[in-house]
Amino acid sequence: MTDEIGAKPDNIKESYIMNNSNTSIATTCKNLIKQRVSWEATELAASNAKLYTILSACFDVYKQMVANVFLVDQVDKLLEANSIKFISTLHPANKLMKLIFGDNDRRRVSSYATVMRAAHEDKGKATADFTAWVKNKGGIEAIRTGNTTGGSTSSGSTKSTEAFTKADAQLSKTPAIITTAPSSKFPEGTGYVMVLARIAPDRSLSVVKFVGKVNDDHAKSQVIKVVASEEKARKDEEKKLLEKSVGKCVKKNKATEKRAIERKMKDDEEKRKWEYSPDGRLAAAQKAEQEAEDINIHDDDGNIDISSVKFEITYKADDENTEANVAA
């Protein structure tokens, strides 16, 4: 059966439609690529520049938090005031990022907190030009994953290793809450491993699963965090004891001062009563009379006035001199 006049065969129609679709998709994709390039060069670049400016200011705050522990408490109060949930052991960098960027996107908060910590490890360069430092490292995502391009990360790794070594030595002194017998179900290796456990109503503990590997990065970071949290708690307790001791000293000093004032008031009152008593008045009169006599026996030049001085002559008997005795 022949085709109708002017009609195209089915295979020709299908080829035409496919070619037309390919041309349309190619054109559309080319346009989208141009839009993407334009966006990256303008809007995204401007957005990233603004973000780096904000993060640079956050980094300045974070450096102050590291240098002054009491500022972390201030951030905690601000988080509570803004109804942002957090745990006390959360790293200060994460607390600051939660406060500034909110808690809606935890991945973003975690990424920016990682940037803060990495910048502090390389604070010399990061402080000089934060934006240039981030770009040199390959961007925020590269810093988050550790795949930075701006030089070796051995310095940061060394610091992390040193921090873990110190934390391990400190934590090894802490008595275990519970110990269990060896089991073939436990992972191989010696060190720290994350455990998912269930606490029953009778407060018994059941290990459900081991999370990660022994001494992996997550386990090491938790060891460092636990020790840091204990150290902070210890410093907070010392601070409270110091404030309490200072308070006691201030209170004691005030009490001592109060007693001294009361004692002086009492002495003044007793002195006043004595002065107005008969004995006190007599003593005062006698004192005045004596002072007047002392003044009268001196002339204007300060010499003693012989005429006003009373002399008393005492004679002593002499057994061997009879004439002297008779004269006396």
Side-chain angles (χ1 to χ4, degrees):
M1 184 175 179
T2 58
D3 295 335
E4 295 181 1
I5 297 174
K8 294 181 179 179
D10 290 341
N11 60 339
I12 297 177
K13 290 181 180 179
E14 183 177 349
S15 176
Y16 172 79
I17 293 172
M18 290 180 65
N19 289 334
N20 188 49
S21 297
N22 290 338
T23 301
S24 177
I25 290 174
T27 302
T28 301
C29 288
K30 286 182 179 179
N31 289 333
L32 288 173
I33 291 172
K34 288 181 180 179
Q35 292 179 35
R36 187 264 302 169
V37 172
S38 176
W39 168 70
E40 287 179 342
T42 56
E43 296 178 21
L44 179 60
S47 177
N48 284 338
K50 183 62 177 178
L51 174 61
Y52 293 161
T53 300
I54 295 173
L55 289 177
S56 179
C58 289
F59 179 52
D60 290 337
V61 176
Y62 177 64
K63 286 187 293 183
Q64 295 180 46
M65 292 173 64
V66 174
N68 304 282
V69 180
F70 72 91
L71 292 178
V72 179
D73 296 333
Q74 296 297 319
V75 171
D76 288 352
K77 292 178 181 178
L78 290 172
L79 286 168
E80 293 173 354
N82 286 275
S83 301
I84 299 176
K85 295 181 179 180
F86 68 98
I87 57 176
S88 60
T89 57
L90 188 65
H91 195 280
N94 293 70
K95 291 181 179 180
L96 179 62
M97 294 302 98
K98 272 180 174 284
L99 177 62
I100 303 303
F101 292 94
D103 198 26
N104 294 328
D105 190 343
R106 296 187 178 182
R107 180 182 175 85
R108 181 176 68 169
V109 167
S110 178
S111 296
Y112 295 168
T114 301
V115 171
M116 292 295 104
R117 282 178 279 179
H120 191 265
E121 290 181 356
D122 194 14
K123 60 182 177 182
K125 295 180 180 179
T127 300
D129 190 336
F130 184 85
T131 299
W133 176 82
V134 173
K135 290 180 178 179
N136 186 48
K137 290 294 183 181
I140 292 175
E141 184 62 18
I143 296 173
R144 184 189 72 83
T145 58
N147 297 321
T148 55
T149 58
S152 174
T153 59
S154 59
S155 176
S157 300
T158 301
K159 290 183 179 180
S160 298
T161 302
E162 291 176 355
F164 172 72
T165 302
K166 291 180 180 179
D168 177 27
Q170 183 66 28
L171 200 59
S172 63
K173 301 175 184 178
T174 304
I177 297 175
I178 186 173
T179 57
T180 61
S183 172
S184 59
K185 295 182 179 181
F186 291 173
E188 295 182 357
T190 302
Y192 298 90
V193 64
M194 304 299 294
V195 176
L196 180 64
R198 181 188 299 110
I199 298 178
D202 62 353
R203 301 187 69 77
S204 61
L205 186 70
S206 301
V207 177
V208 178
K209 185 179 180 180
F210 290 95
V211 182
K213 298 180 179 179
V214 176
N215 276 357
D216 60 13
D217 291 341
H218 190 49
K220 288 182 176 180
S221 66
Q222 289 301 314
V223 170
I224 296 172
K225 286 181 180 180
V226 167
V227 173
S229 176
E230 291 180 351
E231 182 67 14
K232 182 179 181 300
R234 182 185 65 79
K235 289 183 178 179
D236 289 344
E237 184 63 24
E238 289 179 352
K239 182 180 177 181
K240 289 180 180 178
L241 291 174
L242 179 60
E243 290 175 349
K244 187 176 180 181
S245 177
V246 171
K248 285 184 177 180
C249 290
V250 171
K251 187 176 181 180
K252 183 178 180 181
N253 290 340
K254 287 183 177 180
T256 302
E257 184 180 358
K258 183 179 179 182
R259 286 195 299 270
I261 293 173
E262 291 175 347
R263 184 165 54 250
K264 186 176 183 305
M265 291 176 64
K266 184 178 180 181
D267 292 343
D268 291 344
E269 179 64 19
E270 291 179 353
K271 182 179 179 181
R272 188 184 64 80
K273 289 180 179 180
W274 161 256
E275 290 175 348
Y276 283 94
S277 68
D279 293 340
R281 290 179 179 179
L282 178 61
Q286 291 175 345
K287 182 179 179 182
E289 183 179 357
Q290 182 62 47
E291 290 176 349
E293 289 181 359
D294 292 341
I295 294 173
N296 290 334
I297 66 174
H298 292 82
D299 57 18
D300 294 337
D301 296 329
N303 298 317
I304 298 177
D305 186 0
I306 303 299
S307 62
S308 62
V309 179
K310 298 178 181 179
F311 293 94
E312 293 183 0
I313 301 176
T314 303
Y315 295 94
K316 182 178 180 181
D318 189 346
D319 294 337
E320 298 179 358
N321 195 335
T322 305
E323 295 180 358
N325 290 335
V326 171

